[in-house]
Amino acid sequence: MNLKDQTIQQLRDSGHVVIVWTPDEIGDADGGVLEEVAIERGNTYLEDYDEEE
């Protein structure tokens, strides 16, 4: 396992969520905007999840 994969696994093992898109997956999209959308939608999910409990 390479250092990147080890780091990702360590973060996951400690309870973090890790999302990685490759440059090919991102293509011409704006990576910063993609990150903001993922954070926004993730926060919405977490807020909705907390309300259900």
Side-chain angles (χ1 to χ4, degrees):
M1 186 180 298
N2 63 39
L3 182 59
K4 177 188 72 166
D5 292 336
Q6 289 175 341
T7 302
I8 290 169
Q9 190 59 51
Q10 287 174 340
L11 287 167
R12 287 180 173 153
D13 290 346
S14 66
H16 294 80
V17 172
V18 179
I19 302 169
V20 177
W21 283 284
T22 66
D24 287 340
E25 292 170 320
I26 296 170
D28 293 332
D30 184 320
V33 173
L34 176 58
E35 185 176 33
E36 290 174 16
V37 169
I39 292 168
E40 180 180 322
R41 291 188 182 170
N43 283 332
T44 299
Y45 166 76
L46 292 173
E47 289 169 0
D48 292 346
Y49 180 82
D50 285 341
E51 289 176 5
E52 291 176 7
E53 289 190 344

